Amino acid sequence: MGHFIKIKSLNDIVDTLKLHFYPNTNITLEEIEILNQNITDFVELKKEAMQIKNQDNQKRFVNTTFANHKFRVMAVSQSSFNVVLQNGDISISLLKYSNRHSNPLIKVEFRAEFLLRSGYKNAIQYVKNIINNLFENYFIKVSEIHLAKDIQGYEFNPFDIHRFKTLSKHKTVFHNDINSEFYFGNKFSGFSIGRGAEMLRVYNKTLEISQKKEKSFIQVLSWNYNPDFDNTQNVWRLEFQLRRERLKELLGKDGLLDSLDNVINSISNLWTYCLERFVFKHLSNDQVHEQVTGYRYNKDSSIEILNPETLRKRFQRANLHIVWESIRTFEDKQAPTLQRIKDIKKPESEYVKNSIKSVISTFIKLNKGHFDSQDLTQIFIDADNECKEKHGVSMIDKARINALDYIVNANVFYEENGLIQYGFHKYKKDFVNNLHDTFALVQNEPSNFYTFQEFQKRLSKL
């Protein structure tokens, strides 16, 4: 099949971009006052907009000018934000600064047409210039980004969703009715795989434009400039969605993709990552049918149940689909994939609560529904004595030694990957100081000699 198909790639675009602006720790009181006062002024305009009677909230707004740009102050704001400003290019949600919360102060959503018309880098700079009129002491994180490519030369069909290999367990097929009557048939329009943090959408962009004329800007601003574009063929969009919960687990050449700059510098790497997370394989229709049903018909018409391992290996051995072979690059770059990695963080109190619940639950079962604090205390004493016999230290000291091992391993991990969450360094410092204070009182006692040696051994590795 691949020898007779020529895939034409029409563009590489950032189709969706959502940014969160957080205040730096050294934000000044003056900046806070300016930000909050501006938001107060916008909220007053919002009150005027709320007086407008209309069932369509998009028509309830008051016009204003800010930073030499025209905006609509909307009557309705997003959850947790004080006010929303909109224009034809962006939507800005604003929240007053407060020491009582650590939420982003500003959320910006870009219109797809604006990203395409201006280019995502220019669009980002445009937003920064506006935000700088509110405050400049901020850092930016990407809440969500969609990378997309429009292609011609292949018509996707309902079988294709089963030609994808992915770690995602969620697959959804979408259809568009030609008529409101089901028996007139459905026109297949695409599918999606994944959910939330990591998703692939494949859909007929030509069909979408025929139904939503406001989407036709893509042809005017992009397709028409490509000499390979054929307006007699369908255009299919391949769109990958990535949200912050996934981005912050990805490690690029500049570090964790936890900041806007690192994400932007890793756009082509993100594309490669997505192609490897959602792999399109070349399987015949018969093979797809067998993949779905789990059986096949032999020549004598008998049914043969296929082993899941056989199906898995078939998928594994199948060649990459010609479509995936043809779209390896993004912005003419074939970049290496990103490493997905879990970051180091300090332990959370929830773990302790859950452990306590588990202890109480098991103890109640042991005592056939009866609870006796003295019995529970004796179990702790017995466990402590067993720990001393087996390890030469009490349960408390053994837990301290284990915690030190955790910190040592975390340090090794950090040195290799440069990946660590805020709060861990302080946790480590406080932990070591607490141990120093504890053993300063008892290190010369013979019963604590072994424990003190183990403590010093692990500290030397930090």
Side-chain angles (χ1 to χ4, degrees):
M1 179 181 70
H3 296 296
F4 305 101
I5 293 176
K6 181 182 179 182
I7 305 300
K8 295 179 291 185
S9 178
L10 303 181
N11 53 28
D12 298 313
I13 57 177
V14 175
D15 182 65
T16 297
L17 186 60
K18 299 177 184 179
L19 305 180
H20 284 177
F21 290 69
Y22 294 83
N24 283 324
T25 54
N26 59 342
I27 186 172
T28 65
L29 288 175
E30 183 182 3
E31 285 182 296
I32 293 172
E33 289 176 3
I34 293 173
L35 171 67
N36 287 352
Q37 184 56 54
N38 272 294
I39 295 177
T40 297
D41 294 341
F42 291 136
V43 169
E44 290 302 312
L45 293 175
K46 174 187 174 182
K47 291 177 182 177
E48 293 181 30
M50 291 173 68
Q51 302 304 312
I52 299 172
K53 305 298 181 183
N54 198 303
Q55 290 184 339
D56 185 355
N57 284 327
Q58 284 299 307
K59 294 180 179 178
R60 300 173 64 211
F61 61 84
V62 172
N63 289 315
T64 191
T65 299
F66 180 74
N68 297 320
H69 295 280
K70 293 182 178 180
F71 286 98
R72 298 185 295 270
V73 181
M74 309 305 293
V76 178
S77 58
Q78 290 188 336
S79 175
S80 80
F81 288 93
N82 299 122
V83 66
V84 172
L85 313 183
Q86 290 182 359
N87 63 19
D89 298 329
I90 57 174
S91 174
I92 304 177
S93 300
L94 300 170
L95 173 66
K96 287 185 178 181
Y97 178 91
S98 172
N99 290 323
R100 290 173 295 183
H101 67 74
S102 57
N103 299 328
L105 300 184
I106 299 174
K107 177 182 178 180
V108 177
E109 297 185 30
F110 295 77
R111 310 273 187 245
E113 187 271 342
F114 178 50
L115 287 168
L116 183 63
R117 170 167 42 86
S118 299
Y120 61 89
K121 291 182 179 179
N122 290 333
I124 291 169
Q125 189 56 54
Y126 163 85
V127 166
K128 286 182 177 179
N129 292 341
I130 293 173
I131 302 304
N132 287 344
N133 288 273
L134 292 167
F135 76 119
E136 298 183 5
N137 221 337
Y138 56 73
F139 60 94
I140 309 173
K141 296 186 177 183
V142 177
S143 168
E144 185 172 326
I145 187 170
H146 295 197
L147 304 181
K149 192 184 284 278
D150 295 325
I151 68 167
Q152 287 185 309
Y154 182 78
E155 287 295 314
F156 285 90
N157 62 75
F159 277 85
D160 285 332
I161 193 171
H162 303 292
R163 293 186 168 100
F164 274 91
K165 180 175 176 59
T166 174
L167 296 181
S168 175
K169 296 180 180 178
H170 302 284
K171 295 185 180 181
T172 308
V173 182
F174 295 103
H175 292 80
N176 287 88
D177 292 340
I178 296 175
N179 297 290
S180 58
E181 306 293 333
F182 177 75
Y183 52 82
F184 280 110
N186 286 344
K187 184 177 179 62
F188 176 74
S189 65
F191 53 83
S192 72
I193 303 174
R195 181 177 292 177
E198 204 171 79
M199 180 184 289
L200 164 66
R201 295 185 183 90
V202 178
Y203 57 98
N204 188 325
K205 193 68 177 176
T206 302
L207 180 61
E208 183 189 51
I209 289 174
S210 71
Q211 297 175 330
K212 302 175 182 178
K213 299 301 180 185
E214 69 273 15
K215 301 280 189 177
S216 61
F217 65 84
I218 186 67
Q219 179 170 341
V220 177
L221 297 177
S222 179
W223 300 346
N224 287 344
Y225 286 96
N226 192 312
D228 291 331
F229 172 59
D230 183 349
N231 60 13
T232 67
Q233 290 186 348
N234 283 325
V235 176
W236 288 82
R237 170 156 295 186
L238 310 172
E239 181 177 335
F240 295 107
Q241 170 182 301
L242 293 163
R243 289 182 177 164
R244 173 163 159 69
E245 52 261 46
R246 179 66 73 245
L247 292 170
K248 68 180 184 179
E249 295 177 353
L250 300 178
L251 184 66
K253 64 182 186 302
D254 298 320
L256 193 67
L257 268 61
D258 195 39
S259 69
L260 171 64
D261 288 342
N262 282 0
V263 171
I264 295 306
N265 291 336
S266 303
I267 289 288
S268 54
N269 305 83
L270 278 172
W271 181 258
T272 303
Y273 168 82
C274 290
L275 289 181
E276 293 182 358
R277 292 289 288 179
F278 301 90
V279 182
F280 193 24
K281 289 297 190 82
H282 174 52
L283 296 172
S284 69
N285 286 346
D286 286 341
Q287 288 175 320
V288 170
H289 182 269
E290 293 168 6
Q291 203 80 18
V292 174
T293 62
Y295 66 84
R296 67 182 172 196
Y297 287 102
N298 295 321
K299 291 181 179 180
D300 61 359
S301 297
S302 63
I303 292 178
E304 178 185 351
I305 303 299
L306 298 173
N307 189 297
E309 182 64 15
T310 299
L311 296 173
R312 189 189 69 81
K313 287 185 176 179
R314 174 193 289 176
F315 219 116
Q316 191 177 50
R317 290 193 297 264
N319 292 327
L320 204 61
H321 198 283
I322 184 62
V323 171
W324 247 229
E325 289 281 11
S326 304
I327 61 169
R328 289 179 178 274
T329 64
F330 194 87
E331 296 180 336
D332 295 324
K333 297 177 185 176
Q334 185 172 345
T337 191
L338 299 158
Q339 182 182 2
R340 184 180 171 191
I341 204 160
K342 292 286 185 180
D343 42 0
I344 306 165
K345 56 186 176 182
K346 63 180 181 181
E348 301 291 344
S349 61
E350 286 302 315
Y351 298 143
V352 179
K353 293 176 187 175
N354 290 337
S355 297
I356 292 173
K357 291 175 187 176
S358 179
V359 169
I360 297 298
S361 175
T362 305
F363 178 68
I364 292 292
K365 290 175 187 175
L366 175 68
N367 275 15
K368 303 174 184 178
H370 177 65
F371 180 84
D372 187 311
S373 59
Q374 289 184 340
D375 287 349
L376 183 60
T377 301
Q378 188 58 50
I379 288 176
F380 274 103
I381 293 172
D382 292 344
D384 192 54
N385 289 332
E386 288 175 8
C387 188
K388 288 176 181 176
E389 290 177 11
K390 185 175 181 180
H391 302 287
V393 294
S394 68
M395 282 197 304
I396 299 296
D397 288 335
K398 184 69 169 64
R400 286 172 172 151
I401 291 171
N402 289 344
L404 264 176
D405 286 337
Y406 160 72
I407 293 174
V408 170
N409 291 335
N411 270 4
V412 172
F413 181 86
Y414 174 65
E415 288 170 3
E416 292 178 353
N417 300 294
L419 235 182
I420 204 158
Q421 263 195 1
Y422 299 119
F424 182 83
H425 287 301
K426 185 177 185 306
Y427 165 80
K428 167 186 164 184
K429 181 180 178 182
D430 291 346
F431 184 91
V432 173
N433 287 340
N434 287 337
L435 283 190
H436 273 300
D437 292 342
T438 299
F439 283 98
L441 300 174
V442 298
Q443 61 177 294
N444 294 321
E445 294 181 18
S447 61
N448 287 292
F449 182 71
Y450 171 78
T451 307
F452 183 68
Q453 275 190 318
E454 291 298 308
F455 168 63
Q456 292 288 13
K457 185 192 304 181
R458 283 159 174 78
L459 275 183
S460 67
K461 297 178 181 179
L462 293 177

